[in-house]
Amino acid sequence: MAEVEEVQPPKNEVPLTQSNSEPAAGPSGKKRPGQEKASETAKKSRSLFSQVFGTLKKAKEENASEPTEAVRKRREIDARIYGKINRDVNLVRRQEEAKRDRHSALRKEEELAIKDEV
């Protein structure tokens, strides 16, 4: 029979049993240059993201604590409008009461006139 020779990987290759969680190393044991740049870029991205997120969070807290100029003006306008509406409602209510009073006074006068005729 033919003898089977064992094949071994060359010494400069990384063994296939290396886990994915470990960084890939070249023949000299160093990380690949592209991976170093990628990890640095990822760190920078995370740092920038956290800075932007912090800035937005701070702005949101400031906006929640004190109203802006536009909000303040809108509130003033709303207060003036509601004040005018209340004055108008009260005016109409007084006019209707005066009209009812005049109407009831006329009715009483008519009743008295009818009683005097009888």
Side-chain angles (χ1 to χ4, degrees):
M1 292 196 97
E3 290 184 27
V4 178
E5 292 182 38
E6 247 183 65
V7 178
Q8 294 184 359
K11 292 182 182 180
N12 61 353
E13 287 186 15
V14 178
L16 295 176
T17 59
Q18 186 178 14
S19 70
N20 289 338
S21 63
E22 298 175 11
S28 63
K30 295 182 179 178
K31 290 183 180 178
R32 290 185 275 174
Q35 281 191 332
E36 283 183 16
K37 288 181 183 177
S39 65
E40 289 175 14
T41 304
K43 286 180 184 178
K44 287 180 183 178
S45 295
R46 276 188 243 122
S47 175
L48 286 173
F49 177 75
S50 64
Q51 287 177 351
V52 169
F53 186 74
T55 303
L56 291 174
K57 187 176 179 181
K58 184 178 176 183
K60 182 179 178 184
E61 289 171 358
E62 287 176 0
N63 285 342
S65 64
E66 60 184 65
T68 62
E69 185 70 21
V71 172
R72 189 183 58 76
K73 285 182 179 181
R74 171 53 54 198
R75 287 180 182 166
E76 289 176 4
I77 291 170
D78 287 345
R80 282 195 311 242
I81 290 172
Y82 285 122
K84 287 180 182 179
I85 290 172
N86 286 333
R87 284 192 298 269
D88 291 345
V89 167
N90 289 333
L91 177 65
V92 169
R93 188 175 294 138
R94 284 188 302 238
Q95 288 174 346
E96 288 176 354
E97 287 176 5
K99 186 176 179 180
R100 277 187 297 232
D101 290 344
R102 282 191 304 258
H103 188 61
S104 64
L106 286 173
R107 197 176 313 146
K108 285 181 182 179
E109 285 179 12
E110 288 175 357
E111 288 175 4
L112 288 175
I114 293 174
K115 286 182 182 179
D116 287 341
E117 288 179 5
V118 176

